[in-house]
Amino acid sequence: MKILIIALPRTGSTSLLKKISKDRNLKPFFEPFDGTGRVVYNNENNSVVKTVIPHHPNNLQLISNFDEIILLHRRNLREIIECRSYKT
């Protein structure tokens, strides 16, 4: 089982990553495509991956490697824009 969480910033995606990994006994991967190299993901089975939309150059290609896809957004777009962690 491989689950992918694709999210906008400040949507609760990190909490969701932790909850799913604990409940389903899956290995969590926090933003492996952010360009820092701090987390390496090699298409591993029994995993849940959280990424932010601009981190991967081709999200449509990325989703083909996963069994379940979760998309998260936030209704308040102003808070997304104001978020300091959002980098383009």
Side-chain angles (χ1 to χ4, degrees):
M1 169 65 60
K2 294 187 287 188
I3 300 172
L4 176 64
I5 301 168
I6 301 177
L8 289 172
R10 300 182 52 90
T11 56
S13 56
T14 300
S15 296
L16 182 61
L17 170 74
K18 292 175 182 177
K19 177 73 171 152
I20 290 173
S21 68
K22 181 180 177 186
D23 288 355
R24 298 192 186 185
N25 197 29
L26 301 173
K27 184 175 179 181
F29 290 89
F30 177 82
E31 299 183 4
F33 313 114
D34 67 357
T36 65
R38 64 188 164 147
V39 176
V40 177
Y41 175 72
N42 292 314
N43 203 26
E44 299 176 38
N45 288 321
N46 300 314
S47 62
V48 56
V49 175
K50 178 241 176 171
T51 189
V52 179
I53 288 175
H55 285 180
H56 195 276
N58 189 340
N59 286 304
L60 292 177
Q61 178 188 23
L62 180 63
I63 64 174
S64 66
N65 297 316
F66 290 86
D67 302 307
E68 292 183 27
I69 313 301
I70 299 170
L71 302 174
L72 289 178
H73 71 92
R74 187 177 182 127
R75 289 181 188 218
N76 189 328
L77 295 178
R78 170 166 278 183
E79 289 179 1
I80 293 170
I81 294 167
E82 292 173 350
C83 176
R84 286 181 266 158
S85 64
Y86 185 78
K87 298 179 179 113
T88 57

